[in-house]
């Protein structure tokens, strides 16, 4: 085999092997099923249905004060809405946008947590490391086994969220209002980069620890930037526009490339075997 070129058959074999293991693991599948159900169906559905029944009478002054804190472009968007519509749109379109990024990061992270730590628990790491693949091929295969499912889950979740939001808020909005341009860019550009950040970080962590739980707990800290985005959006500090999402995605793609380079650069089969 020419070592200057990637052996995509070997990469595919590594990825398919990991995906078979994922389908058999309840620890991985349960979060991938339950978190989207809560985040994309139950919570937004309740908000949408309750939007038309909430009496904004005593809260109008608070809402108006909150609107004055928003950036001017966002204020202009809300001028066409009633108080109830403003609340629904702000929560379901803007506040949930950064929260949605938890989905690709969590999915990729859950799968990637078992990429190396899971191999150690199953006592299959040594056999994997002795396979005739380069370090880059092995790391790439394991990353793809987490990144591709994360993208698929994100796309399916986006369609599901769109349906739930438009149906549940129909009585308040009276029309299909979701998605907007910012969400399209978020799904196609920022979410894949977020998935790459989650899995890249998790692969690095799981190669250093011994169990799936240790890897998942340490790697889950990567969602902290998402929490800061939510707080910034709610506090009126950040406005999730198309330009902001494009810039954030570009930054994450650069970070992803750096993590992949670092993962391959620091990957040492002999050191891992010595720790088994």
């Amino acid at each position: 085999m020419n070592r200057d070129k990637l052996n995509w058959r070997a990469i595919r074999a590594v990825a398919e092997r990991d995906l078979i293991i994922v389908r058999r693991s309840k620890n991985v599948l349960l979060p991938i099923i339950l978190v989207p159900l809560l985040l994309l169906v139950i919570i937004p559905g309740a908000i949408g249905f309750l939007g038309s029944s909430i009496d904004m009478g005593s809260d109008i002054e608070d809402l108006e004060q909150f609107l004055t804190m928003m950036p001017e472009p966002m204020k202009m968007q809300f001028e066409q809405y009633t108080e109830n519509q403003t609340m629904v749109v702000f929560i379901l379109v803007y506040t949930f946008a950064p929260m949605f990024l938890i989905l690709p990061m969590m999915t990729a992270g859950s799968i990637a947590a078992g990429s190396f730590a899971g191999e150690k628990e199953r006592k299959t790491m040594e056999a994997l490391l002795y396979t005739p693949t380069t370090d880059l091929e092995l790391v790439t295969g394991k990353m793809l086994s987490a990144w591709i499912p994360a993208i698929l889950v994100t796309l399916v979740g986006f369609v599901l969220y769109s349906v739930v939001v438009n149906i549940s808020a129909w009585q308040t909005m009276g029309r299909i209002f979701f998605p907007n341009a910012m969400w399209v860019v978020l799904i196609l550009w920022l979410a894949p980069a977020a998935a790459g950040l989650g899995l890249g970080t998790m692969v690095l962590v799981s190669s250093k620890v011994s169990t799936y739980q240790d890897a998942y707990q340490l790697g889950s800290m990567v969602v902290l930037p998402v929490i800061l985005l939510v707080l910034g959006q709610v506090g009126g500090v950040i406005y999730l526009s198309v330009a902001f999402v494009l810039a954030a995605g570009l930054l994450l793609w650069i970070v992803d490339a750096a993590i992949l380079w670092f993962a391959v650069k620091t990957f040492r089969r002999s050191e891992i075997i010595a720790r088994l």
Side-chain angles (χ1 to χ4, degrees), residues 87-151:
M87 181 191 68
V88 168
V89 171
F90 179 75
I91 295 176
L92 295 182
V93 176
Y94 289 97
T95 303
F96 263 81
M99 291 177 62
F100 189 90
L101 294 176
I102 294 175
L103 181 60
M105 297 176 74
M106 180 216 65
T107 302
S110 296
I111 298 174
S115 61
F116 288 102
E119 298 281 0
K120 297 175 185 177
E121 287 186 329
R122 295 186 296 270
K123 310 297 182 182
T124 56
M125 174 63 82
E126 188 170 359
L128 176 66
L129 294 176
Y130 282 123
T131 56
T133 57
T134 65
D135 292 346
L136 178 57
E137 289 165 356
L138 184 57
V139 173
T140 301
K142 285 192 165 291
M143 285 192 168
L144 286 178
S145 70
W147 188 76
I148 293 176
I151 300 305

Side-chain angles (χ1 to χ4, degrees), residues 145-225:
S145 70
W147 188 76
I148 293 176
I151 300 305
L152 293 176
V153 170
T154 299
L155 292 175
V156 173
F158 172 61
V159 173
L160 180 63
Y161 184 75
S162 300
V163 172
V164 169
V165 163
N166 283 303
I167 291 178
S168 64
W170 182 268
Q171 188 173 355
T172 302
M173 303 302 299
R175 61 182 177 86
I176 295 176
F177 69 100
F178 184 90
N180 61 4
M182 181 270 292
W183 265 86
V184 174
V185 177
L186 182 141
I187 295 300
L188 298 180
W189 175 246
L190 182 55
L197 178 64
L199 74 91
T201 303
M202 199 68 78
V203 166
L204 288 175
V205 170
S206 63
S207 65
K208 306 299 181 183
V209 300
S210 301
T211 66
Y212 171 86
Q213 291 298 332
D214 289 341
Y216 190 76
Q217 289 173 6
L218 290 174
S220 61
M221 295 178 63
V222 76
V223 302
L224 290 178

Side-chain angles (χ1 to χ4, degrees), residues 66 69 90 94-95 98-99 224-240:
F66 178 75
M69 298 170 56
F90 179 75
Y94 289 97
T95 303
M99 291 177 62
L224 290 178
V226 175
I227 296 175
L228 293 177
L229 276 178
V230 174
L231 295 177
Q233 180 77 24
V234 173
V237 178
I238 297 173
Y239 169 46
L240 290 186

Side-chain angles (χ1 to χ4, degrees), residues 40-55:
L40 306 181
V41 178
I42 297 176
I43 295 179
I47 294 173
F49 281 120
L50 293 174
S52 62
S53 61
I54 296 177
D55 183 7

